[in-house]
Structure formats: structure tokens, C-alpha cells
Amino acid sequence: MARILIVDDEKNVRATLARALALEGHETAGAGDGEEALVRLDGGGFDLAVVDLAMPALDGLGLLAALRRRGDATPVIILTAHGSVPRAVEALRAGAFDFLEKPPDRDRLLHAVGLALERSRLGREIQELRRETGGAGEMIGTGPLMERLRADIALAAPSDGRVLITGEHGTGKELVARAVHATSPRSGGAFVKVNCAAVPETLFESELFGHVQGAFTGARENRQGKFEAAHGGTLFLDEVGEIPVHLQPKLLRAIETGEVERIGGRGEFQVDVRVVAATNRDLEAEVAASRFRADLFYRLNVIRLHVPPLRDRRQDIPDLARRFLADCCRRNGFPAKALEPEALERLAAGGYPGNVRELRNAMERLAILTPGERIGPGDVERLLATPGQGLPASASLKDQVAACERGAIAAALEQHGGSMAEAARALGMERSHLYKKMKALGMERPGS
């Protein structure tokens, strides 16, 4: 479901378009001219704007120009009356995604909207992928473990076999999943992610399979599930070990048969989806403890890809550190900063219980809080010798254990959106014990 702004000075046109889009599960809002649209778009939250070319006050071309001047990348579909095609072409040159003649054919409208939303989604994915990898868009590392992982991805991607990606928090499991998708025959389709740890148990079935209007309290409209959204592409089930046991049979059936049914729907329909899953848990142990279904595990565990922790590939830390530092400086408009050799040695000796994610955060801290253009070992010592940061291998055993505990707790809290209850469950401890442990380690509770 997307949120779409309809901009037209004719109320009836806005109502007709809103009905057509609502039937597809989209949420709409209206604006009578370009100036009103700018105010609405300024608040954010819209995935697309459908804009009439000829309007009073500020027309479609003026609105498009104003959006681009302020850096708003919201995709725009232009509506034009018959005979105004040359101006619509002008709008395309100015950055509009597409144009439709009024009144637009319903199927043509929905097709254009779908394509615009897909391009917008891909743009956001590319930005996020670049942020995760320091702007490179690829997995960084030349050591034997990373070379082996790349080779395994190259073998796995061309097939349609299900993939299970294992590894600790912060190692880059999603990046591996995206690499599998990007180098597969499905690369032209959608890559749809579900963070299984973040979906409330009561909404999990709706999230995966969708629902029809009136299926339950609050279901005000039809909603497409993630399986449908991933049709023709890849469905990435992140932290799949967090799926409640009683919901696993329906997921198993969807994977086995390729058939799904919306909650409240009248029948099943076929989807063509490749499932890639990831977990930081030992699923074999979860199966043995009856917390994960054995048959679901076997369905997912066709091709196993393991992402090594950062401590096992220390030779990659300098390249990662340089890339993360350069990316942070670029994003913040800072002058380029360089790492002195001794600083790189200090970084390479770190513990990094939070893995690549922790190293990226450490480099961001160094980029922001180091005043000069060179970062030396003293800067690393001063800014990273704090709770939760990687400590040198020469630190005492007690300090290294404490650093590992802080990192594991911080990673769990980040993974579960600051929820103490969810973090405690992921760490295999009581919530009261987690409170006491954080207090002993000098860590503040989220929101405190």
C-alpha cells in the first residue's frame, strides 16, 4: 500500500482517481492546486503525486520545478488534457515520471502508478544499500572468508533454490541477501524484506499474506501481503527464527505450494517467489528445543550461506574503516579525512562484538568528533574507549568480556527497536536480569 497525493482543481477528477487507487489498497489525499500540494508534500509521507498539468495558482510544471528545487524526489505522474501532449513532454524532461491523457484509462493509470512506485522503491533500496556498504554497493573484503562467500553467492544466485543466511548481528546478512537477488534471474523483480523480529505477533499473518476489507477490526481496506508484493522477485525473511511457532505452518505451506490467501479472502492464488531467510540463531538448536518447526527449517535450509564475524576477518577492517569514513564525510559535507597507519592498527585490534555495524558507527563517531583532517591513534583511543565500543585485544579479559556483553546487549536492543522484553528474549535471559546486567555495565535503558 502506498500513500498518493492527487493534485487537480476539479473535485470530481480527484474523487474518481481516489476511488480507483483505493480499490488497489492505496491511501490517497487531495489538493486543489500546486500551492496546496507543496504544503501537503512538505510534511512528507507521500510515495507518489498524480498532478494535473493545467491548474490555477501553480500549475503542474511549476509544482514539479518547485519540488526539484528543494530536493524532493517524490515521483510525479502528470495528467494532461487532449492536445497538451507537447507540454506533457516538457514535464517529462523536467523530471516527471510519466504523463496520462485525461480522463485516464483505469488500467493505464494503475500500471503507471505501479511502475512509479517500483522505481521509487528501488531508488530507496539503492540509497540504503549504499549507506550500509559505505557507498560501494558491494561487499567489502579481500580475505579468504569473504572470497569464499562471494564464490558461494555466485553459485547459489542463478538457481531458484531457497537460501538460509546465518551470522551474528551486524555482519551484513541483508547485504548478502541483496547480492543473491541482484545476481539472480529475478533481479528485475522486487526485493521485499520482512523483519520477522519487528512484526507484532497479531499482525504477522496479515503482513505476510495480506487481508481483505472487513476481515478484522481495523481492516478498512484491502491490503497486499509481502508474498504478493514479491511476486516475480525475492522475499527476504530477516530474523526468521523469531517467527512464532503457531504461525509457522501457514508459512511452510506458502513456501511449499506457492499458494497464499489473504485473511478474509475467498480463495488461494499462486505467487512466484524465491524465499531467502536470515537468522542469528542456531536453528538446529531451536528445532531441538521445539521452538522452530523441523519441516520449515528443512524447507529453508536448501543453500546455506554463512557470513563470518568481523573478528574472523580482521584483514578487512582497514578497507572497511576507510570506506565508512569516506562515506560519512561525504554525507555530512565534511572535508575528506585520512586515517594514520597507527590508527588503522588500533582499529584492526578492536573486538567489535557488534561486527561491521559497530565498526561503521565507530567511523561515523570519528568522522564527526575529530576536528582535524587526519585521524591518529590518540583520536581512536579517546573516542572509542567507551562502553559498547571495540576494545584492543590487549585489554584485560574482564574488560573484553564486559565489552562483548555491552555490544551484544546494544545490538539486541537496536535489532528490536529498543524493546527490553524482545531484547531479553533474543539474549535468552529474563527482562529483570537484563535490567540488572545493564546497570552493572553502566548502560542506560532505552528512553531513559
Side-chain angles (χ1 to χ4, degrees):
M1 181 184 73
R3 191 159 183 254
I4 301 173
L5 181 65
I6 302 170
V7 188
D8 197 298
D9 57 330
E10 297 181 47
K11 186 177 180 179
N12 290 340
V13 172
R14 296 200 303 270
T16 300
L17 294 175
R19 281 194 297 272
L21 294 170
L23 287 173
E24 294 300 306
H26 299 303
E27 178 185 346
T28 64
D33 57 49
E35 290 185 347
E36 183 184 353
L38 276 178
V39 174
R40 284 185 170 272
L41 290 167
D42 194 44
F46 286 99
D47 303 293
L48 173 68
V50 180
V51 178
D52 188 20
L53 186 61
M55 294 183 293
L58 185 66
D59 65 9
L61 277 176
L63 172 59
L64 186 62
L67 290 175
R68 298 305 177 249
R69 278 197 303 271
R70 67 187 194 184
D72 189 329
T74 302
V76 173
I77 294 175
I78 292 290
L79 298 178
T80 176
H82 181 69
S84 299
V85 172
R87 291 201 70 213
V89 173
E90 186 182 350
L92 291 179
R93 290 172 178 163
F97 176 79
D98 200 353
F99 74 90
L100 305 172
E101 285 193 299
K102 296 173 68 174
D105 174 76
R106 180 179 179 278
D107 290 340
R108 175 77 175 88
L109 169 68
L110 296 178
H111 181 67
V113 165
L115 290 177
L117 292 173
E118 176 65 10
R119 178 174 295 185
S120 179
R121 181 191 63 77
L122 289 173
R124 291 193 301 271
E125 281 189 4
I126 290 169
Q127 289 180 350
E128 177 64 16
L129 186 59
R130 286 175 175 164
R131 186 187 71 82
E132 290 288 332
T133 61
E138 82 279 359
M139 293 179 294
I140 301 170
T142 57
L145 292 178
M146 290 303 292
E147 289 299 329
R148 174 60 185 271
L149 180 57
R150 287 193 188 91
D152 288 344
I153 291 172
L155 291 171
S159 74
D160 216 28
R162 290 179 288 276
V163 178
L164 179 62
I165 304 168
T166 60
E168 299 175 4
H169 281 302
T171 51
K173 296 187 290 295
E174 181 178 345
L175 182 59
V176 172
R178 291 182 183 276
V180 169
H181 172 73
T183 53
S184 76
R186 295 175 175 269
S187 59
F191 178 90
V192 177
K193 174 185 174 182
V194 181
N195 186 341
C196 301
V199 180
E201 186 171 325
T202 55
L203 299 178
F204 196 87
E205 191 174 355
S206 173
E207 182 77 6
L208 282 184
F209 306 113
H211 61 253
V212 300
Q213 184 178 9
F216 51 83
T217 303
R220 295 187 295 271
E221 57 198 10
N222 294 340
R223 180 181 179 185
Q224 184 183 60
K226 298 299 187 183
F227 266 91
E228 286 183 75
H231 180 67
T234 301
L235 178 65
F236 176 45
L237 300 176
D238 195 15
E239 299 302 342
V240 71
E242 304 297 326
I243 299 176
V245 174
H246 71 276
L247 295 175
Q248 292 175 17
K250 191 166 185 179
L251 172 61
L252 173 64
R253 173 169 170 73
I255 291 173
E256 285 183 327
T257 66
E259 295 178 345
V260 298
E261 182 179 3
R262 290 183 178 183
I263 299 175
R266 296 183 177 179
E268 295 180 325
F269 51 92
Q270 197 78 24
V271 291
D272 175 23
V273 170
R274 183 185 193 178
V275 173
V276 176
T279 183
N280 70 315
R281 290 177 175 263
D282 180 347
L283 287 190
E284 286 94 338
E286 295 294 296
V287 169
S290 299
R291 290 190 292 265
F292 200 85
R293 290 180 61 107
D295 45 6
L296 178 56
F297 169 67
Y298 297 138
R299 293 297 184 278
L300 295 173
N301 190 38
V302 176
I303 302 168
R304 178 82 71 100
L305 299 176
H306 181 69
V307 189
L310 192 54
R311 62 181 174 274
D312 289 347
R313 55 185 190 104
R314 292 184 182 277
Q315 68 269 47
D316 296 332
I317 291 177
D319 286 341
L320 287 163
R322 292 189 191 97
R323 184 64 62 83
F324 293 148
L325 177 65
D327 180 58
C328 182
C329 289
R330 183 170 53 250
R331 284 188 288 106
N332 288 281
F334 298 159
K337 299 189 179 188
L339 285 159
E340 295 179 0
E342 295 83 359
L344 283 171
E345 290 177 6
R346 172 63 178 81
L347 287 167
Y352 305 108
N355 291 295
V356 176
R357 183 185 297 136
E358 182 181 348
L359 177 61
R360 186 181 65 236
N361 293 342
M363 298 317 300
E364 187 161 1
R365 177 181 293 189
L366 284 167
I368 294 171
L369 297 180
T370 302
E373 294 184 6
R374 295 189 66 81
I375 297 174
D379 299 309
V380 175
E381 294 284 350
R382 177 174 60 88
L383 294 175
L384 301 190
T386 54
Q389 299 299 318
L391 294 176
S394 59
S396 70
L397 178 60
K398 179 180 178 181
D399 287 343
Q400 290 188 60
V401 170
C404 287
E405 288 181 331
R406 291 188 190 99
I409 291 171
L413 286 169
E414 179 181 346
Q415 180 70 32
H416 297 285
S419 168
M420 292 290 289
E422 291 295 322
R425 186 165 70 88
L427 293 167
M429 59 198 305
E430 297 293 331
R431 183 166 55 178
S432 59
H433 185 199
L434 179 57
Y435 284 130
K436 293 175 183 177
K437 174 63 71 174
M438 291 179 66
K439 183 176 181 181
L441 292 170
M443 300 178 69
E444 293 185 358
R445 288 160 50 181
S448 61

